[in-house]
Amino acid sequence: MSQRDVTTPDPNESPHLVDLEPGDATWPDILAVLQELRPHLTAELLDQVLAEGEGQGLRFTALFHQDRCVAVAGWRIIANTSAIRKFYVDDLATATGKRSRGYGAILLNALTERARDAGCTRIELDSGVQRHRAHRFYLRAGMDIVGHHFSRRLN
């Protein structure tokens, strides 16, 4: 687990970023925040995703404040023909009681810097069509709506 201090929304507090490893002891706290975005996600399913996703470049970074996870992001760097090299955010969640306090912005800004440092040409994410507050947040953060995401459930 590696930590970096970041700019805080309150000068009296000191949130910090943590890059997570699969066996990290903080996963139960992080899972609770992820479940706000992904209610179907159990500890067993998370373990499965971590095991399979690691080989696909999936990483997680969490923002902690006062020893509690206040926001978390799952992300990876992807090479493809549209962006050549992009930073894709699979999950970006802020704990319900911690929203609108700047934590999501801190995490997204840190991910954006990480993407630049990694030589990515874009940072991208998908957001459910019903998540209007999240869309306003992403637009305020300088992101654009650039396409539609299509999905088909396979049984």
Side-chain angles (χ1 to χ4, degrees), residues 120-151:
C120 296
T121 61
R122 295 182 197 164
I123 183 168
E124 296 183 353
L125 56 81
D126 290 317
S127 182
V129 295
Q130 78 284 3
R131 301 185 54 78
H132 303 290
R133 288 184 63 206
H135 302 162
R136 285 193 298 272
F137 168 75
Y138 299 135
L139 291 169
R140 280 193 316 269
M143 299 185 91
D144 296 314
I145 300 170
V146 297
H148 295 281
H149 178 92
F150 295 91
S151 177

Side-chain angles (χ1 to χ4, degrees), residues 33-147:
V33 177
L34 275 173
Q35 285 173 324
E36 294 185 32
L37 179 64
R38 312 280 187 225
H40 65 278
L41 193 63
T42 63
E44 295 77 21
L45 287 174
L46 178 60
D47 287 344
Q48 179 183 334
V49 168
L50 293 174
E52 189 171 340
E54 185 175 23
Q56 300 170 359
L58 179 61
R59 303 292 179 264
F60 282 86
T61 301
L63 184 66
F64 281 83
H65 179 237
Q66 297 176 342
D67 297 323
R68 300 291 300 173
C69 178
V70 294
V72 61
W75 57 272
R76 61 186 89 214
I77 294 174
I78 298 173
N80 68 10
T81 57
S82 65
I84 308 304
R85 183 175 177 86
K86 72 179 177 181
F87 193 99
Y88 185 78
V89 180
D90 292 82
D91 307 285
L92 180 60
T94 301
T96 300
K98 303 297 183 183
R99 293 183 186 149
S100 298
R101 296 184 187 186
Y103 295 120
I106 289 170
L107 184 53
L108 185 56
N109 288 340
L111 296 175
T112 300
E113 283 306 308
R114 185 170 289 188
R116 282 190 184 108
D117 292 347
C120 296
T121 61
R122 295 182 197 164
I123 183 168
E124 296 183 353
L125 56 81
D126 290 317
S127 182
V129 295
Q130 78 284 3
R131 301 185 54 78
H132 303 290
R133 288 184 63 206
H135 302 162
R136 285 193 298 272
F137 168 75
Y138 299 135
L139 291 169
R140 280 193 316 269
M143 299 185 91
D144 296 314
I145 300 170
V146 297

Side-chain angles (χ1 to χ4, degrees), residues 14-28:
S14 182
H16 60 277
L17 291 171
V18 176
D19 292 323
L20 300 157
E21 300 296 331
D24 197 298
T26 59
W27 274 111

